[in-house]
Amino acid sequence: MSAIQAAWPSGTECIAKYNFHGTAEQDLPFCKGDVLTIVAVTKDPNWYKAKNKVGREGIIPANYVQKREGVKAGTKLSLMPTVPAAGLTWGRDPLHTWLEAGITESEPLHYTSDADGLCTRLIKPKVMEGTVAAQDEFFRSGWALNMKDLKLLQTIGKGEFGDVMLGDYRGNKVAVKCIKNDATAQAFLAEASVMTQLRHSNLVQLLGVIVEEKGGLYIVTEYMAKGSLVDYLRSRGRSVLGGDCLLKFSLDVCEAMEYLEGNNFVHRDLAARNVLVSEDNVAKVSDFGLTKEASSTQDTGKLPVKWTAPEALREKKFSTKSDVWSFGILLWEIYSFGRVPYPRIPLKDVVPRVEKGYKMDAPDGCPPAVYEVMKNCWHLDAATRPSFLQLREQLEHIKTHELHL
Ligand code: AMP
C-alpha cells in the first residue's frame, strides 16, 4: 500500500484481492472475493480492523483488499450514441420504424404501447461497443465478480434485457440478470452502475457484475425469494394479506424512495412490477434501468403511461415529484391487490382524462386515510405533491393510529 494513501474511514467496503489465512489470533482470515467492511484504522497504516459478512471482526492487511467505489456510467460506459457511429449497426428494430416515420427524438413523445400500457423501447444498438471499458471500470471499482464462483441454477424470470436466473455465488443464493453479446448492454450497464452508488435495506442490493471476455454480461443481485410485488399481491389476495401487510409494503417502498430523494436519484419507473419481495416479506425497489441522477437530461425510450406523471409524459420533466406521482399509483396497486391501474378506461383516454384532473377512485376496502395519501401524490401541479419524507411521516401516522384497518 502506498504510504501517502488517505486512511479509509470506518464503514468503507472492500473486496478481497487474495486469500488471507491470518497468522495471529487477532487476524481476520478471508478469501478472494469476500466483502469486508472497515471498522477502524490501526496504528500501522498497512493494517485495518475490519469485519466480515457474518460480523466477525479482526485485523486485515490493507494491500490484500481493494476499496469498493461507485461506478459512474458517464461517457466511458456509454454504448448508445444518438446517431449510429461508424462501425455500429442498428438492427431492424423500433428505431427504424420510428425514424422511417419521420419522427425525431426532439418531438413530443409518441409511443406505441402494449396491453398493460407499457411502451416498447425505441432505441436498440446491436453492437456492444465499449464493453472492455466497462469491464475495466468494474474491476477498478471492485465490483467485478468471478464467473468461476457462480453457478447458474434455473430461470426465475424474464426481463427486458434477458433471463433472470437463480444462482449460487460461493454458497449464497443470488439472482443473476444475464445478457448475451448481441443485446442491449447499454441500459444493462447503466443499471449496474447506478446500483453501485446506492445502498438501502429497501433497495435490491447489487452484489457485483461479471463482464465476460466473450461478451456475456451478468448482474448479480440479492435473491428476492417471493418475486415481484405485483405477482405477490395478485396470488395472495385479500384473504391472505391484511391491512398491516399492505401498509408495511407501502412504508418499505416509501423508505427506499425517501433515500433516493435524499440522494437526488430519480427512479422513473416505480411500479409494483419493479418492487420485489424477500423471503422475510420485505419489499425492495428494483429495476434501476431507467434511474438517472436528477440533473440528467438523458432520454429514455420506454414510458409506462399509467404510472408516469403528466409533466414527465408531456415535457420529459422527470423529478422526485414525478416519482411521487408513480408512488401514488403504486399505493393504488397495493391496495387493489395488484390490479392494473385505470381499469375500464381505454389506454388512449387515460392521459387526456388525467390532464383534466381525473383521479382513480379508492380501491375497494382502502382506508380513507391511505386514499388521501394517494390523491395527494396526484396533484397536477408537481410542486404541491408531498415529498417522500412527508409521505413516510403520513404513512407512519396512519400506522401508529391504526387508521389502516
Ligand atoms: P426484471 O428484469 O428486473 O424486470 O425482472 C424480471 C422478473 O425476474 C421479475 O418480475 C422477477 O419475477 C424476477 N426477478 C428479477 N430480479 C429478481 C431478484 N433479485 N430475485 C428474484 N427474482 C427476481
Side-chain angles (χ1 to χ4, degrees):
M1 189 178 90
S2 147
I4 53 164
Q5 183 179 319
W8 295 332
S10 161
T12 301
E13 272 200 355
C14 300
I15 187 139
K17 294 193 283 187
Y18 317 104
N19 294 337
F20 174 62
H21 302 296
T23 45
E25 197 182 328
Q26 78 266 25
D27 288 349
L28 177 67
F30 53 76
C31 297
K32 183 178 174 194
D34 283 355
V35 176
L36 302 158
T37 309
I38 300 297
V39 173
V41 293
T42 67
K43 286 198 198 95
D44 183 341
N46 294 311
W47 296 83
Y48 281 96
K49 186 172 182 195
K51 70 173 177 221
N52 65 15
K53 209 180 65 178
V54 293
R56 181 172 162 198
E57 293 191 356
I59 304 299
I60 62 161
N63 58 352
Y64 273 53
V65 299
Q66 178 189 358
K67 184 178 162 192
R68 261 191 167 182
E69 294 169 51
V71 173
K72 280 263 173 205
T75 47
K76 200 168 178 196
L77 299 188
S78 179
L79 308 172
M80 195 191 279
T82 22
V83 178
L88 196 71
T89 56
W90 300 94
R92 292 296 309 179
D93 57 38
L95 175 70
H96 268 91
T97 327
W98 212 36
L99 291 175
E100 278 160 15
I103 300 163
T104 67
E105 282 196 62
S106 58
E107 276 203 72
L109 303 171
H110 297 271
Y111 293 96
T112 51
S113 44
D114 60 22
D116 264 2
L118 296 174
C119 303
T120 48
R121 180 166 286 277
L122 294 167
I123 300 175
K124 227 173 213 178
K126 279 219 151 174
V127 172
M128 295 220 313
E129 191 185 81
T131 305
V132 175
Q135 185 173 10
D136 290 352
E137 188 61 16
F138 284 108
F139 269 111
R140 189 201 59 74
S141 58
W143 287 94
L145 303 180
N146 196 333
M147 193 62 189
K148 284 202 230 62
D149 294 326
L150 179 68
K151 278 196 229 68
L152 295 173
L153 301 175
Q154 71 192 72
T155 304
I156 50 174
K158 297 248 179 258
E160 188 190 334
F161 305 111
D163 288 354
V164 180
M165 302 205 49
L166 171 64
D168 179 300
Y169 187 77
R170 298 159 61 112
N172 299 305
K173 275 187 176 175
V174 293
V176 186
K177 284 194 182 184
C178 312
I179 190 168
K180 293 287 178 254
N181 197 3
D182 60 345
T184 5
Q186 158 72 36
F188 203 75
L189 288 172
E191 174 169 8
S193 60
V194 167
M195 289 172 87
T196 62
Q197 298 170 59
L198 302 170
R199 182 137 318 185
H200 187 274
S201 53
N202 297 109
L203 291 177
V204 174
Q205 180 61 49
L206 176 72
L207 301 173
V209 173
I210 298 170
V211 187
E212 281 186 327
E213 280 187 10
K214 60 181 193 283
L217 199 54
Y218 303 86
I219 292 187
V220 183
T221 65
E222 70 178 297
Y223 173 61
M224 302 291 287
K226 295 189 174 159
S228 92
L229 179 61
V230 72
D231 295 338
Y232 186 86
L233 294 163
R234 286 175 188 168
S235 59
R236 272 72 172 185
R238 204 175 293 277
S239 55
V240 177
L241 303 172
D244 284 7
C245 197
L246 301 184
L247 193 66
K248 163 77 166 44
F249 286 148
S250 309
L251 265 165
D252 283 348
V253 174
C254 195
E255 282 170 33
M257 294 311 297
E258 185 183 356
Y259 168 82
L260 293 185
E261 172 178 79
N263 284 283
N264 284 328
F265 274 94
V266 178
H267 189 288
R268 296 174 174 228
D269 197 11
L270 184 61
R273 66 182 169 277
N274 289 333
V275 173
L276 298 171
V277 182
S278 71
E279 180 65 48
D280 49 353
N281 293 333
V282 178
K284 304 191 185 199
V285 174
S286 154
D287 233 327
F288 297 89
L290 300 176
T291 307
K292 297 283 179 300
E293 278 174 82
S295 61
S296 169
T297 52
Q298 213 180 322
D299 210 23
T300 67
K302 177 176 172 167
L303 285 181
V305 170
K306 290 181 173 182
W307 282 261
T308 307
E311 74 280 2
L313 286 172
R314 217 176 32 238
E315 303 154 61
K316 303 183 194 173
K317 274 195 190 155
F318 287 92
S319 63
T320 297
K321 295 296 189 191
S322 61
D323 279 351
V324 166
W325 178 287
S326 311
F327 180 73
I329 306 286
L330 168 56
L331 278 182
W332 188 93
E333 289 181 278
I334 293 176
Y335 280 85
S336 65
F337 297 92
R339 289 188 77 182
V340 176
Y342 303 100
R344 290 183 297 274
I345 301 182
L347 185 62
K348 66 173 180 32
D349 297 342
V350 170
V351 176
R353 288 187 63 173
V354 166
E355 295 225 325
K356 286 198 200 91
Y358 173 80
K359 293 182 175 59
M360 282 189 281
D361 290 338
D364 281 351
C366 175
V370 175
Y371 184 52
E372 283 308 309
V373 175
M374 275 178 216
K375 280 198 296 188
N376 286 333
C377 297
W378 300 331
H379 279 297
L380 287 177
D381 174 16
T384 50
R385 291 172 208 153
S387 64
F388 281 108
L389 189 152
Q390 290 168 325
L391 286 165
R392 204 242 315 136
E393 286 173 350
Q394 289 164 12
L395 292 172
E396 267 169 3
H397 179 85
I398 292 173
K399 183 170 144 186
T400 45
H401 294 81
E402 304 214 358
L403 301 169
H404 58 291
L405 295 173

